[in-house]
Amino acid sequence: MADVSTTLPLEPDSIRHAYSKIHRYLHKTPLLTNKTIDRMASFSPDTDQSPKFNIYFKCENYQRIGAFKARGAFYAVIHLIEVLGLEEVRRRGVVTHSSGKLALALAASHFQIPAHIVMPTISTPSKIAGTQCYTKNVRFSGSTSTEREAVVMEVIEETGAILVPPYDHPDIMLGQGTTALELQEQYEAETSNQDEKAGLRIVLAPLGGGGLLSGISIFFSNKPEIAVIGCEPSFQGGNDGEIGLNSAPPRRIETVKTLTIADGLRTPVGELPWKIFTSGSEIKKKNLKTIYSVTEEQIKNAMRLVFERMKVFIEPSSAVPLAVVLYNHEFRKWVHQQQQAEGGAGWDIAVVLSGGNTTIDAVIGLFGGPDKDVKRAEGISGLDGKSVVENVAG
């Protein structure tokens, strides 16, 4: 990566600068709403404890390569070019073994820069094929970080390639933070004709290594009225950020071993994102309000809602923030109490759907049930369990 001494400060204006550099290479992803999900999120069996939500979904699953990571990759590559010169970066190339490998391959290909991508041999055929669309320099390794890093070092020794990390660098954080800039601009345009504009109150995003969430926290660091909340899976300690933040004193957990279905969030929080999460300013006491977690079943239920009600294809990691809104008792209790103190009005909140990089086979594996349930859902069997074809029109 570019030397940290050459990077911009971690503040909102730097994210605006990053956006000016990368927006031409990106899709401006939509901001969607869904009244049915609003009603479900605003319902509780105990009606006296129901928060009220108007949810705006920032759909980064429609971003290039199917995830927000294209933002950070493009800004990292462009800044490298500015610091070292295009010919030098082309001569050396770039290398990564991170979850952002496809994004880096895409960004590098735009500038004819060789991208060396290290992938575990257990990578799915679809991910291997997707990466090879942008680079032929794919090398395989074992699945552990030690094995992947060993192959990366071989590439660096052989080629002089520049290592691009997944999230623990200012350029990556600033690039990912452009998600928040677009979200804010789109929200303001969407609500500009409202007589009494409520204003955005909460932004929820998934937390893995922290590049996306720290970027969002940086962008909203000068807006005390907007709370930024991290969302994690609780399975097998996947909520390392939540555990670390709630420790006395707060501490960053350095290793995570979880097989949560939210596979994009299996990473421990990076050092630089952690510093953003645990700091504030004169304008805002805390950049990150807090972190909440949800179970595997809650993630699947939220994912199903997005599929069936919004007709939007997402990966499990993307469903985690919506699962927090729908099912996390502590989050819902806090919102309800705040709303009651303000007179009971509902809140406009934003949920970042971070990506859609999964496959039909994986989705079937998550939701496959007993044969009778599958056949019923497909319209093959009736409520009585029988399969009868009716000879009727339409």
Side-chain angles (χ1 to χ4, degrees), residues 70-394:
R71 298 175 181 272
F74 267 105
Y75 186 59
V77 169
I78 289 171
H79 188 211
L80 263 179
I81 293 170
E82 291 174 343
V83 172
L84 299 177
L86 179 56
E87 292 309 314
E88 176 65 8
V89 180
R90 283 177 175 167
R91 183 184 70 81
R92 295 176 61 182
V94 292
V95 62
T96 193
H97 65 88
S98 73
S99 57
K101 49 189 170 284
L102 182 53
L104 179 63
L106 167 67
S109 71
H110 265 269
F111 302 99
Q112 294 82 51
I113 296 169
H116 303 273
I117 308 299
V118 176
M119 304 185 71
T121 54
I122 62 169
S123 298
T124 62
S126 62
K127 288 184 178 180
I128 294 171
T131 304
Q132 289 175 331
C133 285
Y134 298 109
T135 179
K136 296 180 179 179
N137 303 314
V138 176
R139 297 204 191 186
F140 295 97
S141 70
S143 58
T144 68
S145 59
T146 301
E147 292 170 314
R148 297 196 308 268
E149 290 167 4
V151 177
V152 165
M153 290 308 300
E154 290 177 6
V155 172
I156 292 173
E157 290 174 3
E158 293 173 13
T159 66
I162 304 162
L163 176 63
V164 178
Y167 47 81
D168 213 354
H169 190 279
D171 286 346
I172 299 294
M173 296 159 68
L174 294 174
Q176 316 300 31
T178 63
T179 304
L181 184 154
E182 272 190 7
L183 189 164
Q184 179 71 18
E185 289 181 347
Q186 291 169 306
Y187 170 78
E188 290 177 352
E190 182 83 10
T191 58
S192 61
N193 61 351
Q194 293 181 4
D195 294 334
E196 295 184 8
K197 188 174 178 180
L200 198 60
R201 297 299 300 272
I202 304 174
V203 177
L204 301 100
L207 173 57
L212 173 64
L213 186 63
S214 63
I216 292 171
S217 298
I218 291 165
F219 184 76
F220 289 117
S221 62
N222 63 351
K223 296 182 180 296
E225 72 278 11
I226 298 177
V228 178
I229 290 176
C231 306
E232 293 181 307
S234 60
F235 186 66
Q236 294 179 337
N239 56 333
D240 61 295
E242 180 184 38
I243 294 169
L245 201 63
N246 291 333
S247 299
R251 60 187 180 87
R252 185 177 74 93
I253 295 174
E254 298 182 7
T255 59
V256 175
K257 291 184 179 181
T258 174
L259 290 177
T260 174
I261 58 172
D263 58 336
L265 310 182
R266 294 176 181 175
T267 311
V269 178
E271 291 185 19
L272 286 178
W274 181 256
K275 290 179 181 178
I276 293 296
F277 299 154
T278 53
S279 63
S281 67
E282 294 180 1
I283 298 175
K284 197 169 188 178
K285 184 178 179 182
K286 293 174 66 178
N287 292 323
L288 182 72
K289 177 69 177 178
T290 192
I291 302 169
Y292 294 105
S293 62
V294 284
T295 67
E296 302 292 275
E297 196 62 29
Q298 290 167 341
I299 295 169
K300 288 198 290 184
N301 288 342
M303 191 176 178
R304 184 190 296 273
L305 270 180
V306 174
F307 284 164
E308 296 181 350
R309 301 294 180 170
M310 295 181 67
K311 320 305 178 188
V312 170
F313 191 79
I314 61 170
E315 63 190 79
S317 299
S318 289
V320 175
L322 178 58
V324 168
V325 174
L326 292 167
Y327 307 118
N328 186 281
H329 175 72
E330 291 302 315
F331 169 76
R332 294 175 61 81
K333 179 180 177 181
W334 170 69
V335 173
H336 172 74
Q337 290 174 343
Q338 295 296 312
Q339 289 178 344
Q340 290 301 109
E342 297 175 5
W347 282 5
D348 289 357
I349 70 172
V351 165
V352 178
L353 300 178
S354 54
N357 286 321
T358 187
T359 64
I360 292 297
D361 288 342
V363 172
I364 291 172
L366 285 176
F367 294 107
D371 287 347
K372 64 180 180 64
D373 294 337
V374 173
K375 290 178 179 179
R376 177 72 192 122
E378 292 174 347
I380 295 174
S381 65
L383 288 171
D384 59 2
K386 297 180 180 178
S387 299
V388 180
V389 177
E390 296 181 82
N391 186 22
V392 294

Side-chain angles (χ1 to χ4, degrees), residues 36-75:
T36 299
I37 295 180
D38 284 350
R39 286 193 294 270
M40 297 177 72
S42 302
F43 171 79
S44 173
D46 183 355
T47 55
D48 293 333
Q49 297 293 323
S50 296
K52 299 175 183 177
F53 297 109
N54 302 306
I55 307 173
Y56 293 81
F57 295 90
K58 179 59 172 165
C59 297
E60 285 294 287
N61 54 304
Y62 292 129
Q63 188 52 265
R64 297 187 68 180
I65 60 89
F68 69 93
K69 295 171 184 176
R71 298 175 181 272
F74 267 105
Y75 186 59

